Amino acid sequence: MTIQSGRNFLHTPGPTNIPDRVLRAMMRPAVDLNDADFMAMALSCFGDLQKVFETESNVYIYAANGHGAWEAALVNVLSAGDCVLVPETGHFSFNWSVMAESLGLEVDYVEADWRRAIDPDLVAERLRADSEHRIKAVLMVHTDTATSVTSSIPAIRKALDDAGHPALLLVDTIAALATVPFKFDEWGIDVAVAASQKGLMQPPGLAFNAVSQKALQMSEKATLPRNYWDWRRRHGREFYSHFCGTAPVHQLFALREALDMVHEEGLDAIIARHQRLAGAVRSAVEVWCKEGALSFNVTAAEERANSVTTILVDEAYDATALRETCSSRFNVSLGAGYGRLQGRAFRIGHMGYLNEPMILGAIASVETCLALCGVPHGTGGTQAAIASLSGSES
Ligand SMILES: *Cc1c(COP(=O)(O)O)cnc(C)c1O
């Protein structure tokens, strides 16, 4: 085993850094599930999650990872044989569509090249062609963590409205929430899917749905089998109904602490920080790309995510070796190319609990590894990141 001193720099796009405060909040004995303070604490999380989603509608908390919230979104509003429209954004739109299929839904996949945001015109075209309204939901991934492409939710809402189509809008914002604006009510979203371990600074293990009135009504008629995921079972007067059984006590203490931190920093400031740090990463990558061996996966600058950056590596060079060198030599963990990009890309995660020195450390380490691994790159990426953060960009 290699001995590594100092801290691990965790730049995988989930899980992300957990603040010491959040870790400490979990260092306690279990509590009586009927303890009044505990129940009040747990219930307070629902209201504060509504603020994060910018909604007055219901929020549900599951002891699950993101896949659980995906499944919850589908089984609550759909029935066997229903058609769902899934615009391709990368490996996550694909995985969600595979789950939909496995649940007995018909998937209409809007193919794309993984390098651009969802084209709202293509979505509108498919919806217009569906004059019988067989499509019951559009499944959109806000930021696809494999490709690091971020799509516009208002643009897809408008596509639905312009087509006069009644399908629900389901949005996976697992890798976008709290890194870019997200306005559930204002943008007319029907179901939002999120998880604890990306922008929200908690351990993996909690998953969330925010649900519109329209989606709640659909859930009354939907016939896919469901029990644990069923929103309707979570409205009971008894406390345990909110969690369909034992509450995930320690996860909820972590959630409470993380929500306090979100409140203290402020959502707008958090989003501005992500914009600033992502800007620094992009400035560095821009410089590295000058020698032609590396390139941004997302071609349009305004579609690049604030949470993760996917960098393509020319096939003459070894993306896996680069990532492994970063890990073994510098204790910096990067994301691997995922899905179709396996072995052809690496990803720098920059979401959650991060500040400037952490980002500069990661950027400088990647730049050093590019040199160590003999991957041709423009030098001065770190300097460009410094310039970006100090507002002295040329
Ligand atoms: C991480 C992620 C998921 C899956 O979440 P798990 O917690 O790994 O189940 C789904 N969608 C997106 C966009 C993600 O980033």
Side-chain angles (χ1 to χ4, degrees):
M1 193 183 114
T2 332
I3 304 292
Q4 290 183 312
S5 66
R7 288 205 170 232
N8 171 240
F9 273 46
L10 184 62
H11 288 276
T12 52
T16 62
N17 296 291
I18 306 171
D20 292 350
R21 265 177 74 176
V22 171
L23 290 172
R24 277 198 302 271
M26 291 187 290
M27 278 291 283
R28 62 173 84 213
V31 295
D32 178 342
L33 285 178
N34 297 311
D35 180 86
D37 289 341
F38 169 71
M39 291 195 291
M41 182 284 288
L43 293 177
S44 74
C45 292
F46 289 90
D48 287 333
L49 278 170
Q50 284 177 314
K51 291 180 199 152
V52 175
F53 286 109
E54 300 202 19
T55 185
E56 300 195 341
S57 289
N58 292 3
V59 171
Y60 301 89
I61 302 175
Y62 298 102
N65 61 16
H67 281 69
W70 262 355
E71 181 157 338
L74 298 176
V75 296
N76 273 292
V77 295
L78 297 164
S79 305
D82 280 354
C83 182
V84 296
L85 188 70
V86 187
E88 180 171 23
T89 52
H91 205 65
F92 286 90
S93 64
F94 175 72
N95 276 349
W96 202 8
S97 77
V98 168
M99 176 185 275
E101 231 157 25
S102 74
L103 291 168
L105 302 167
E106 188 187 314
V107 173
D108 187 357
Y109 204 54
V110 187
E111 281 175 23
D113 70 358
W114 284 33
R115 303 195 68 173
R116 291 297 312 268
I118 299 169
D119 181 348
D121 292 339
L122 283 182
V123 173
E125 199 177 287
R126 292 284 178 103
L127 291 169
R128 272 198 215 96
D130 176 40
S131 52
E132 292 170 30
H133 294 168
R134 292 192 55 247
I135 297 169
K136 299 299 180 208
V138 175
L139 277 49
M140 138 173 213
V141 178
H142 192 184
T143 292
D144 194 303
T145 324
T147 53
S148 69
V149 68
T150 298
S151 296
S152 163
I153 299 171
I156 303 307
R157 176 73 260 169
K158 189 168 178 301
L160 277 152
D161 294 345
D162 288 353
H165 200 290
L168 295 181
L169 178 57
L170 276 47
V171 180
D172 166 355
T173 188
I174 293 179
L177 191 66
T179 75
V180 288
F182 186 84
K183 300 173 186 300
F184 186 90
D185 289 353
E186 191 183 318
W187 291 348
I189 299 163
D190 290 300
V191 184
V193 170
S196 54
Q197 80 275 21
K198 308 267 171 119
L200 293 177
M201 308 182 289
Q202 297 147 63
L206 289 184
F208 314 109
N209 276 175
V211 178
S212 72
Q213 283 306 316
K214 185 177 168 191
L216 274 179
Q217 281 160 15
M218 283 269 288
S219 78
E220 296 294 338
K221 289 181 226 133
T223 60
L224 282 181
R226 66 199 128 134
N227 180 297
Y228 178 75
W229 306 119
D230 197 337
W231 298 328
R232 296 167 304 174
R233 295 172 58 86
R234 292 177 172 249
H235 298 156
R237 265 163 36 88
E238 297 295 339
F239 175 78
Y240 68 77
S241 75
H242 291 284
F243 298 98
C244 192
T246 304
V249 174
H250 291 79
Q251 298 271 349
L252 289 169
F253 279 117
L255 172 63
R256 182 63 267 162
E257 193 69 24
L259 288 169
D260 286 348
M261 291 180 72
V262 168
H263 178 69
E264 286 162 22
E265 185 176 0
L267 259 184
D268 290 346
I270 290 171
I271 291 165
R273 172 167 56 81
H274 278 86
Q275 178 76 26
R276 199 162 67 240
L277 299 180
V281 172
R282 293 191 279 255
S283 299
V285 175
E286 187 106 46
V287 170
W288 296 339
C289 290
K290 282 182 183 163
E291 293 295 318
L294 303 172
S295 50
F296 280 104
N297 178 55
V298 180
T299 48
E302 67 279 8
E303 296 171 359
R304 292 177 187 149
N306 267 359
S307 48
V308 54
T309 299
T310 303
I311 300 147
L312 303 179
V313 181
D314 185 276
E315 61 188 23
Y317 304 96
D318 189 345
T320 306
L322 179 72
R323 209 169 43 78
E324 281 170 3
T325 303
C326 241
S327 168
S328 63
R329 292 286 293 266
F330 299 106
N331 205 0
V332 174
S333 305
L334 302 173
Y338 190 48
R340 200 193 286 166
L341 297 178
Q342 198 170 9
R344 296 178 43 216
F346 68 95
R347 296 177 293 159
I348 303 175
H350 36 85
M351 72 182 118
Y353 189 60
L354 287 168
N355 62 10
E356 281 80 355
M358 294 159 93
I359 283 290
L360 286 170
I363 290 168
S365 303
V366 172
E367 191 160 338
T368 311
C369 287
L370 289 169
L372 280 170
C373 294
V375 179
H377 62 286
T379 55
T382 306
Q383 194 57 46
I386 292 170
S388 155
L389 291 171
S390 58
S392 57
E393 253 173 319
S394 54

